[in-house]
Amino acid sequence: MSDMTPRIHDVRYNAVEQCFEALVTLHTPAGRVHVASQFTAPITTDFEAASRGLLNTALMALTDKTALKSRQLRQPIVPPRRSGAEMPHAA
């Protein structure tokens, strides 16, 4: 069984924007979604609070069509077979 827990990767603090930034991986019925998340807070913010803020921002971005995200589909997309062409076999 795979782990369906959201993951927050490589949390960084952007001093210019005064925010925490991370890539957050969420699991949806359609497959994994990787969301670029940003949470505005001072650098002195507790790590747990910053993590919750990043996760909440990522969850809200799921329905935002302008948010930066990528999807990893559950079913791989398989190209159609070529008609009339034989598949090479390993010797």
Side-chain angles (χ1 to χ4, degrees), residues 63-81:
T63 57
D64 182 358
K65 293 183 181 194
T66 63
L68 182 60
K69 56 190 170 238
S70 68
R71 296 185 184 280
Q72 184 176 0
L73 300 174
R74 284 198 188 276
Q75 297 290 331
I77 299 172
V78 179
R81 290 184 175 225

Side-chain angles (χ1 to χ4, degrees), residues 53-67:
L54 289 165
L55 179 58
N56 288 336
T57 302
L59 289 169
M60 289 186 298
L62 281 178
T63 57
D64 182 358
K65 293 183 181 194
T66 63

Side-chain angles (χ1 to χ4, degrees), residues 6-9 11 20-26 33 35-41 45-64 67-69:
R7 300 283 180 186
I8 302 173
H9 308 273
V11 177
F20 290 89
E21 300 173 334
L23 180 67
V24 179
T25 302
L26 302 169
V33 180
V35 181
S37 185
Q38 190 176 55
F39 175 65
T40 302
T45 302
D46 177 68
F47 184 76
E48 294 298 322
S51 296
R52 280 191 308 273
L54 289 165
L55 179 58
N56 288 336
T57 302
L59 289 169
M60 289 186 298
L62 281 178
T63 57
D64 182 358
L68 182 60
K69 56 190 170 238

